[in-house]
Amino acid sequence: MRTMTLGTMLFAATALALSASAQTTPSAPAITRTIVAATKLPSVVETPLYFKAVRVTLQPGGKSSLSAANGILYQLSGSTEISLGGESKVLGAGEALFVAAGKTSRAEPRKRRALDFALLAAETELYRTMAPIPDLKPGGYDLNLTRVTFPAGMPSNPPHHRSGAALYYIVSGTGANTVDRTTKTRGPDSLIYEPFGLVHQWGNPGGEPLTFLAFNINPDGVAAVLPDTPAKAQ
């Protein structure tokens, strides 16, 4: 198996009418969000969970097998034939597939790169979150991989936090990530971890769209992103 591991995924704009005789101001390009793979987990508290991401590069004629905890395989470029549970599926660029814990997927390239996001029980990887994902409570959770695109020149969105946690992977463009009033530039291949309670903002000051993947885990029925600062526990 040839793999290379890396550490490892809401708003609208309106136009105002100036006057009856004035031209209507065109609306700004909207942020787009596409859930590319998702599942529901009945429970997440049996063992501490970590985030990780693995990049797999396969040359024509090569093959790879992957067996891990609950994860999502995302095709970055080219196409790959995935065999899982006796069935085969070809993933094209921008497509994704959920792989359940205990299942082994076998990949044979039609070409290029894939990115695997996963939830881990304790296991040593080249990159993973340093501590278990915090504040996971008993009950069901949603697990999904969402592709998000910010248009060029998009101002930072309002402060917000996660109801669970997320791991971001920037595919293209450059984002501005603000935490504690400090803004950092995040470019392609950046990985950003957002645990529960981290109040932050994202914007795109660049001249090209910003596209990233968000590997989200959040309580069933609760939005992945919540406004402002989380309420303190009583």
Side-chain angles (χ1 to χ4, degrees):
M1 178 175 69
R2 299 179 62 190
T3 63
M4 178 172 63
T5 9
L6 291 180
T8 228
M9 148 208 354
L10 311 163
F11 325 92
T14 58
L16 298 176
L18 299 179
S19 70
S21 60
Q23 291 185 346
T24 301
T25 303
S27 58
I31 296 171
T32 59
R33 300 165 198 81
T34 303
I35 296 176
V36 293
T39 191
K40 290 186 179 294
L41 304 176
S43 179
V44 295
V45 296
E46 287 74 18
T47 184
L49 294 179
Y50 299 78
F51 275 141
K52 75 161 184 177
V54 178
R55 193 206 307 269
V56 181
T57 301
L58 294 173
Q59 301 301 325
K63 295 182 180 181
S64 178
S65 295
L66 179 66
S67 180
N70 293 305
I72 294 173
L73 182 66
Y74 181 87
Q75 189 74 21
L76 286 168
S77 61
S79 60
T80 303
E81 183 174 357
I82 306 295
S83 298
L84 181 66
E87 298 183 357
S88 294
K89 176 181 175 63
V90 174
L91 289 185
E95 295 181 328
L97 178 69
F98 171 70
V99 180
K103 299 291 185 179
T104 298
S105 62
R106 291 178 173 82
E108 183 171 352
R110 294 191 175 185
K111 209 173 169 190
R112 305 296 182 179
R113 299 184 303 160
L115 188 70
D116 180 54
F117 289 82
L119 287 173
L120 285 184
E123 179 180 336
T124 301
E125 295 290 339
L126 180 62
Y127 174 91
R128 63 169 178 164
T129 45
M130 298 300 295
I133 300 170
D135 295 289
L136 298 181
K137 306 290 195 301
Y141 273 75
D142 290 323
L143 181 71
N144 73 71
L145 187 66
T146 299
R147 184 172 55 242
V148 183
T149 298
F150 279 40
M154 188 79 178
S156 292
N157 50 37
H160 57 279
H161 69 281
R162 292 274 165 183
S163 63
L167 188 63
Y168 282 25
Y169 173 81
I170 295 183
V171 177
S172 61
T174 301
N177 181 220
T178 302
V179 178
D180 291 334
R181 300 183 181 180
T182 298
T183 300
K184 294 183 179 180
T185 299
R186 305 289 193 176
D189 292 332
S190 295
L191 289 150
I192 303 97
Y193 172 48
E194 293 181 352
F196 173 80
L198 179 72
V199 179
H200 59 279
Q201 297 170 264
W202 277 96
N204 178 17
E208 62 178 285
L210 164 69
T211 298
F212 58 85
L213 302 173
F215 186 48
N216 301 299
I217 184 169
N218 50 278
D220 189 10
V222 180
V225 176
L226 299 175
D228 302 321
T229 302
K232 293 183 178 179
Q234 299 298 317

